[in-house]
């Protein structure tokens, strides 16, 4: 009996330590503003209508519809911040080159997904949103460049007067922000890394730790941006349910998913459809509908 009780007590202590580790920062006033909006994933894009993802055109459509936007930032060879999702540009531009190995001048010669749109600079996108709708800025770390990527991004954002937050899959980004820019809202992107095919190349224990949200102990994010299909796993429900952490859901592709996520208090990052109007958000204009699926 004594051994059994000792084991139960030990498990209880481990569980409490896990809860303490996965906690998030709370009470940030900016989060209330971010919750008022829905976020178009890589802008309000629709390549069938000539609107590529992460393009100036897609971001204009998002703003016209009254949406915020989620976008992705890479650091070029000559230390410029460009907005694109993939590091290798095979899918986006039809060429096998890597953003981090190209200069801005070289990237400017490429076009997006067969259109006339080019890869924009972050400094070109920011003025579109200033004073209008918020941005979720995802930092894409490649080859361990998180420090330089964070420094360049925060230097640019230091003069920006719009509303934004920063998120990343890489906990080192959040750790850097916690230490150097603690007033910037930060979010930990994650999914169920224990599933087959998730985070290839990482050892199982590392994938398990990220799934269990253990890096939160070092980063204390303001929100957890979790893959929608994985949002009901225990770590997310404990962090965003029991501990009242803010949840963001990616990527929502149906109105029914959006409604479920919003009813749970989650920020929503959507793609491939135009959400139905809600009372506190303007209706999408006819122009913005052309950018949606």
């Amino acid at each position: 009996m004594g051994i059994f009780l000792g084991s139960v007590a030990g498990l209880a202590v481990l569980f409490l330590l896990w809860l303490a580790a996965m906690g998030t920062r709370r009470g940030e006033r900016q989060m209330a503003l971010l919750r008022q909006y829905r976020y178009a994933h890589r802008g309000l894009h629709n390549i069938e209508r000539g609107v590529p993802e992460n393009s100036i055109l897609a971001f204009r459509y998002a703003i016209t519809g009254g949406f915020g936007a989620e976008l992705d930032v890479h650091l070029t060879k000559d230390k410029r911040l460009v907005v694109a999702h993939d590091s290798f540009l095979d899918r986006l531009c039809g060429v096998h080159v890597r953003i981090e190995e190209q200069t801005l001048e070289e990237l400017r010669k490429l076009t997006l997904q067969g259109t006339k749109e080019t890869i924009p600079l972050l400094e070109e996108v920011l003025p579109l949103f200033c004073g209008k709708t918020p941005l979720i800025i995802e930092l894409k770390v490649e080859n361990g460049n998180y420090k330089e990527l964070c420094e360049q991004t925060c230097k640019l954002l230091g003069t920006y007067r719009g509303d934004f937050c920063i998120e990343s899959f890489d906990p080192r980004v959040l750790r850097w922000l916690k230490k150097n820019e603690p007033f910037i809202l930060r979010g930990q992107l994650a999914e169920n890394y224990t599933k087959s095919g998730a985070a290839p190349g990482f050892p199982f224990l590392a994938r398990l730790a990220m799934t269990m949200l253990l890096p939160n102990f070092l980063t204390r994010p303001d929100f957890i941006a979790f893959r929608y299909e994985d949002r009901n796993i225990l770590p997310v429900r404990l962090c965003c349910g029991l501990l009242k952490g803010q949840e963001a859901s990616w990527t929502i592709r149906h109105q029914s998913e959006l409604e479920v996520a919003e009813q749970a208090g989650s920020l929503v990052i959507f793609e491939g459809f135009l959400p139905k109007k809600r009372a506190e958000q303007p209706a999408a204009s006819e122009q913005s509908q052309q950018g949606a699926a």
Side-chain angles (χ1 to χ4, degrees):
M1 179 63 73
I3 295 176
F4 173 75
L5 292 177
S7 299
V8 171
L11 290 173
V13 169
L14 288 175
F15 179 72
L16 292 174
L17 288 173
W18 180 33
L19 287 180
M22 73 165 68
T24 60
R25 189 167 64 161
R26 295 173 59 188
E28 295 295 328
R29 288 180 298 173
Q30 303 99 306
M31 190 58 71
L33 183 144
L34 294 180
R35 280 194 290 264
Q36 297 176 28
Y37 292 87
R38 294 160 170 172
Y39 297 85
H41 189 231
R42 309 176 197 173
L44 200 61
H45 61 91
N46 183 345
I47 193 56
E48 292 182 0
R49 299 189 177 185
V51 186
E53 65 181 60
N54 275 324
S55 66
I56 293 294
L57 189 56
F59 295 133
R60 290 189 187 279
Y61 279 131
I63 295 165
T64 301
F67 302 113
E70 179 270 354
L71 56 78
D72 311 278
V73 177
H74 288 264
L75 190 65
T76 67
K77 182 179 179 180
D78 52 347
K79 314 308 178 188
R80 303 300 297 274
L81 298 167
V82 295
V83 178
H85 182 268
D86 303 352
S87 179
F88 285 98
L89 295 175
D90 303 69
R91 180 180 67 89
L92 293 173
C93 303
V95 293
H96 186 65
V97 298
R98 193 172 194 172
I99 288 177
E100 286 73 21
E101 297 172 353
Q102 304 295 303
T103 65
L104 178 63
E105 182 180 0
E106 291 169 326
L107 292 175
R108 288 296 204 192
K109 298 175 183 178
L110 306 176
T111 57
L112 291 169
Q113 297 179 284
T115 70
K116 294 182 179 180
E117 293 288 306
T118 58
I119 298 173
L121 285 163
L122 179 59
E123 64 191 64
E124 295 171 336
V125 175
L126 292 177
L128 303 177
F129 287 86
C130 190
K132 295 176 182 175
T133 59
L135 282 169
I136 297 177
I137 300 171
E138 179 184 344
L139 297 191
K140 292 287 192 179
V141 176
E142 297 292 337
N143 296 326
N145 68 348
Y146 73 94
K147 183 178 179 182
E148 208 165 20
L149 179 59
C150 288
E151 289 174 346
Q152 294 296 331
T153 302
C154 290
K155 180 179 178 181
L156 176 61
L157 291 172
T159 61
Y160 181 56
R161 296 294 173 260
D163 299 298
F164 69 93
C165 63
I166 294 177
E167 65 178 12
S168 181
F169 282 100
D170 196 320
R172 293 174 296 181
V173 168
L174 278 71
R175 179 66 172 169
W176 189 96
L177 292 171
K178 180 176 180 287
K179 179 180 179 181
N180 297 281
E181 297 288 349
F183 296 107
I184 292 179
L185 287 178
R186 54 185 183 268
Q188 180 63 62
L189 274 160
E191 59 182 302
N192 185 355
Y193 294 106
T194 63
K195 294 197 305 187
S196 176
F202 281 80
F204 176 77
L205 288 179
R207 290 186 282 120
L208 179 62
M210 291 189 293
T211 301
M212 300 287 281
L213 302 176
L214 292 180
N216 289 9
F217 176 72
L218 297 174
T219 62
R220 287 298 179 227
D222 294 288
F223 63 95
I224 303 298
F226 223 84
R227 180 184 175 93
Y228 177 80
E229 290 84 353
D230 299 335
R231 65 185 299 271
N232 287 320
I233 65 173
L234 183 60
V236 181
R237 297 282 49 89
L238 289 175
C239 181
C240 300
L242 180 65
L243 299 180
K244 306 299 182 183
Q246 178 62 54
E247 182 182 0
S249 294
W250 60 271
T251 300
I252 302 294
R253 291 186 170 85
H254 303 283
Q255 180 68 30
S256 58
E257 294 177 347
L258 183 145
E259 292 171 0
V260 169
E262 287 189 336
Q263 287 172 5
S266 182
L267 276 72
V268 295
I269 301 171
F270 71 92
E271 180 180 68
F273 73 104
L274 194 65
K276 294 179 181 178
K277 178 186 175 183
R278 62 182 183 185
E280 65 271 31
Q281 184 162 325
S285 69
E286 180 179 348
Q287 182 186 19
S288 70
Q289 292 181 39
Q290 295 175 10

